[in-house]
């Protein structure tokens, strides 16, 4: 096989992948924009919490500075998933729906724990639960799935 044939074969193989990752035509539905915005807010809140934990581990007087710093780094790492998913939703990438759905499903037990924590945590838990449920509803909506290029499977 000549090098020209190899290049032609590799272009043909990459063409379906490029077509699948391209965003569908038309304007972005408001539901998808809202889901992307709420997912981004959740990611930013996680990043802020991780930054706070990291700073308090370094500058504060925690029981264990190493645990506080590792906790902050862990929360910062966890913030990456919703932020990347939000960007993918905003750009109408098909793959972004899964990470966003996972983020919302994981947020529900966290919200429950916050509500059971009492005090100001109750309001934070209720807010997180409402945001997670709203994003879940928005992402399973047929308008959003069509905008992401996700449709019903064709039966042979």
């Amino acid at each position: 096989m000549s090098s020209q044939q190899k290049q032609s074969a590799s272009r043909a193989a990459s063409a379906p992948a490029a077509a699948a990752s391209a965003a569908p035509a038309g304007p972005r539905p408001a539901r998808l924009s809202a889901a992307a915005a709420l997912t981004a807010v959740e990611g930013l809140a996680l990043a802020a919490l991780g930054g706070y934990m990291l700073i308090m581990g370094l500058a504060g007087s925690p029981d264990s500075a190493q645990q506080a710093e590792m906790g902050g780094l862990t929360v910062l790492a966890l913030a990456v998933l919703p932020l990347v998913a939000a960007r993918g939703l905003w750009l109408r990438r098909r793959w972004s729906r899964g990470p966003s759905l996972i983020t919302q499903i994981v947020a529900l037990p966290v919200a429950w724990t916050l509500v059971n924590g009492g005090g100001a945590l109750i309001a934070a838990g209720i807010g997180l639960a409402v945001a997670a449920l709203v994003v879940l509803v928005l992402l399973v909506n047929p308008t959003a799935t069509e905008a992401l290029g996700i449709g019903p499977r064709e039966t042979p």
Side-chain angles (χ1 to χ4, degrees), residues 13-60:
S14 65
S21 67
R28 181 185 320 103
R31 291 177 176 150
L32 192 58
S33 298
L38 282 171
T39 303
V41 167
E42 290 171 341
L44 290 172
L46 272 174
L49 176 64
Y52 174 77
M53 289 173 66
L54 190 60
I55 290 169
M56 292 311 294
L58 294 170

Side-chain angles (χ1 to χ4, degrees), residues 41-109:
V41 167
E42 290 171 341
L44 290 172
L46 272 174
L49 176 64
Y52 174 77
M53 289 173 66
L54 190 60
I55 290 169
M56 292 311 294
L58 294 170
S61 56
D63 292 337
S64 170
Q66 185 178 8
Q67 278 185 326
E69 292 163 13
M70 187 55 69
L73 289 173
T74 302
V75 174
L76 281 172
L78 290 173
V80 172
L81 181 66
L83 291 172
V84 169
R87 184 172 190 278
L89 289 172
W90 188 260
L91 297 175
R92 297 172 62 183
R93 302 291 190 249
R94 170 184 279 184
W95 58 263
S96 62
R97 183 174 177 241
S100 185
L101 288 171
I102 290 168
T103 299
Q104 307 318 314
I105 291 168
V106 168
L108 291 173

